[in-house]
Amino acid sequence: MEQKDILNRLWIDYSSQNPSAKKIHSLFGSEGETVENDHIAFRTFNDSRINIGVLSKLFLQCGYEPCGTYFFEEKKLNAVHYENKKTPNSPRVFISELILENFSPSLQKTLRDTLNKVSEKEYNQNELIFSGNIWGKPIFETYQKLREESEYAAWVYVFGFRANHFTVSVNSLKKYDTVEKVNSFLKKNGFVLNSSGGEVKGTPQELLEQSSTLADIVEIEFMDGKHKIPACYYEFAKRYPGPDGQLYSAFIAKSADKIFESTNFYKK
Ligand code: NI
């Protein structure tokens, strides 16, 4: 599969499920901006059937290579970011995985039981990253229980394999060329930002500034009824050149840690 087809397919699924992202994207368009993606992020578990290595396969086939590894102690996550240096303007791909053995036996059992519902073959298929929740209708009570230990685990349990967020490259915007300008534009248009750790995460000295919307609240059909829960969010990133004159290309764990909270449960 070609890279642009992969990205289009991910965008179509993500933007149709998350109307705010679609609206923001077209708002920028109507301001004469051309939106480029800084990165696209995925979430998974460190189970060998679906870990980072498995999710990265399709990207490696298109020429992506691993460029940085990260560890999030509090959220108990590993992550790797990938870049495709052969294709100019390729978005980075950021894949994180929950370290299951660092959680309670009950959380581990719930998730392993969920994973066991599907055969190895389904996990091996090339299109896994587009497949969403392949485990069948989730149970709201299980979702709530997972959330007590990890919002991240609960999110993957319900939404499965899809882009968790796309990220607008603020460097590619002309009029809205700072994260602050993007943020006030979004607020003026009625969008709610993730303010955990401040609306802007990171500083020009750290060479990366980021912000994000709070995830859209969507109605999901659970086994035990319909419930409204946070889905995906839209992120904005501005990169600065380092001492070598090249734009900083990696991620800052302490900022990403706060960005992860954009899918925390909240009521609208
Ligand atoms: Ni991100």
Side-chain angles (χ1 to χ4, degrees):
M1 198 182 269
E2 285 198 41
Q3 182 175 319
K4 71 172 192 329
D5 300 325
I6 298 174
L7 300 177
N8 278 339
R9 193 162 159 189
L10 290 166
W11 172 257
I12 288 165
D13 171 69
Y14 163 85
S15 62
S16 53
Q17 206 199 16
N18 300 279
S20 291
K22 198 179 230 168
K23 269 186 233 156
I24 292 168
H25 190 271
S26 53
L27 270 175
F28 279 127
S30 60
E31 294 281 316
E33 300 283 10
T34 308
V35 172
E36 281 178 24
N37 294 310
D38 179 271
H39 65 273
I40 302 170
F42 297 87
R43 293 178 171 187
T44 191
F45 305 137
N46 71 342
D47 184 287
S48 62
R49 289 168 285 184
I50 59 162
N51 62 16
I52 292 176
V54 176
L55 260 62
S56 67
K57 269 193 307 198
L58 202 53
F59 294 104
L60 297 180
Q61 285 167 19
C62 304
Y64 274 84
E65 50 188 299
C67 288
T69 58
Y70 309 88
F71 172 59
F72 300 89
E73 191 172 8
E74 196 196 325
K75 297 203 167 50
K76 301 169 185 165
L77 300 168
N78 294 314
V80 180
H81 102 257
Y82 298 84
E83 294 178 32
N84 188 346
K85 292 177 175 157
K86 292 168 203 129
T87 310
N89 298 324
S90 294
R92 294 161 193 81
V93 170
F94 185 92
I95 309 178
S96 57
E97 64 183 14
L98 198 70
I99 306 166
L100 295 178
E101 60 273 23
N102 292 356
F103 287 89
S104 74
S106 133
L107 177 140
Q108 292 184 50
K109 183 175 184 318
T110 303
L111 296 179
R112 304 255 193 237
D113 286 350
T114 303
L115 295 184
N116 290 344
K117 286 184 180 177
V118 164
S119 71
E120 292 265 336
K121 207 175 129 207
E122 285 193 64
Y123 293 125
N124 283 331
Q125 48 128 342
N126 231 350
E127 309 213 333
L128 184 67
I129 58 163
F130 309 111
S131 62
N133 175 343
I134 53 176
W135 307 300
K137 247 186 227 176
I139 300 165
F140 190 65
E141 202 190 323
T142 306
Y143 169 78
Q144 292 284 56
K145 187 92 202 300
L146 288 171
R147 275 190 51 230
E148 288 170 15
E149 280 193 70
S150 167
E151 292 269 2
Y152 182 109
W155 188 92
V156 177
Y157 169 71
V158 172
F159 295 104
F161 307 104
R162 59 178 69 238
N164 168 266
H165 62 272
F166 273 68
T167 303
V168 173
S169 163
V170 176
N171 298 69
S172 75
L173 304 177
K174 297 185 291 280
K175 197 155 81 181
Y176 299 96
D177 58 351
T178 67
V179 174
E180 285 82 0
K181 285 183 199 169
V182 168
N183 286 353
S184 36
F185 176 65
L186 295 174
K187 286 192 279 186
K188 201 182 79 190
N189 284 285
F191 296 97
V192 186
L193 300 176
N194 168 355
S195 56
S196 171
E199 283 179 357
V200 182
K201 283 82 170 155
T203 62
Q205 292 71 37
E206 291 171 297
L207 310 179
L208 175 61
E209 290 178 296
Q210 291 163 276
S211 72
S212 63
T213 61
L214 279 183
D216 273 340
I217 298 290
V218 303
E219 190 172 74
I220 297 287
E221 213 179 312
F222 289 86
M223 297 281 270
D224 35 356
K226 286 182 178 164
H227 295 275
K228 289 185 169 156
I229 66 165
C232 300
Y233 58 92
Y234 210 8
E235 190 184 312
F236 311 90
K238 176 159 182 171
R239 295 179 182 275
Y240 293 86
D244 60 356
Q246 298 287 318
L247 279 189
Y248 179 72
S249 192
F251 292 84
I252 296 168
K254 106 174 134 50
S255 300
D257 192 68
K258 297 296 176 200
I259 295 270
F260 276 120
E261 295 173 14
S262 307
T263 55
N264 279 9
F265 192 86
Y266 72 101
K267 283 209 164 96
K268 226 177 173 169

